[in-house]
Amino acid sequence: VAILSDVRGNLGPASVLRQDPPGTDWIGDRWQAASDMGGTAIGGSHWILVDFAGAVPPGGAVEATRVSLDWETAYANDYVVETRMDAPPVGVRPDGSGRDTGGDGPAGWCRLFDGADAADLPRRTSAESGQSPGVKARMPLHVVHTIDLTAGGAGPSRRGGCGPFRYLR
């Protein structure tokens, strides 16, 4: 499974997202779209692409019943999870800032979850654990969002008519 992102933040590469179990280096084992250690956000919307194509047989695909995102204290609620079977297009990002291997826009992507859509929110649960190091106020080290892909659909990966997939972003 390959992990790609549209930007290289100031911590670890996007590939750290596939570590099992998560690493022990509080800095190098995290990915964030930030330009410095102060957490200054890299402007714009960003994506992480999980490429399962090399992990399934030719013509094969992934069927999923849930997606889990393990965040830290600084986490997002308004995000989108999408899938597709065919390889995403490769080109220049609309703002001209570099290569885009995640594919721009919704064409070819099937939306599994939209954090801005109130109808999707009941399918997401959240759990907190651990303690963030070096902070005075109690803050969780992990905030895990689990999105149920079977709720409101006909089976695994079926929200919005989505079926088996090879790419997830």
Side-chain angles (χ1 to χ4, degrees):
V1 176
I3 311 282
L4 306 168
S5 63
D6 68 323
V7 296
R8 172 66 159 96
N10 66 312
L11 300 178
S15 61
V16 301
L17 299 173
R18 72 168 183 232
Q19 293 182 114
D20 185 22
T24 57
D25 180 345
W26 189 71
I27 299 295
D29 290 334
R30 297 185 305 149
W31 179 89
Q32 68 175 354
S35 60
D36 58 39
M37 291 307 290
T40 304
I42 297 172
S45 295
H46 301 290
W47 51 258
I48 297 289
L49 177 72
V50 183
D51 178 351
F52 293 98
V56 295
V62 173
E63 281 274 352
T65 57
R66 70 180 177 276
V67 171
S68 293
L69 303 170
D70 187 347
W71 306 88
E72 61 177 25
T73 300
Y75 65 92
N77 278 315
D78 185 3
Y79 54 85
V80 172
V81 178
E82 299 172 308
T83 63
R84 67 186 300 142
M85 273 297 289
D86 58 325
V90 177
V92 176
R93 297 180 71 201
D95 63 6
S97 65
R99 302 290 290 169
D100 182 358
T101 57
D104 290 317
W109 291 96
C110 186
R111 185 158 291 176
L112 290 176
F113 177 83
D114 184 345
D117 183 345
D120 274 355
L121 298 183
R123 297 177 33 240
R124 177 176 62 198
T125 59
S126 182
E128 298 180 357
S129 66
Q131 169 66 39
S132 288
V135 295
K136 293 178 183 175
R138 178 155 172 76
M139 301 168 96
L141 181 59
H142 298 277
V143 177
V144 178
H145 288 176
T146 301
I147 302 163
D148 180 358
L149 302 180
T150 63
S157 311
R158 298 290 190 254
R159 191 270 190 198
C162 300
F165 58 89
R166 298 179 85 177
Y167 301 90
L168 177 125
R169 73 169 180 181

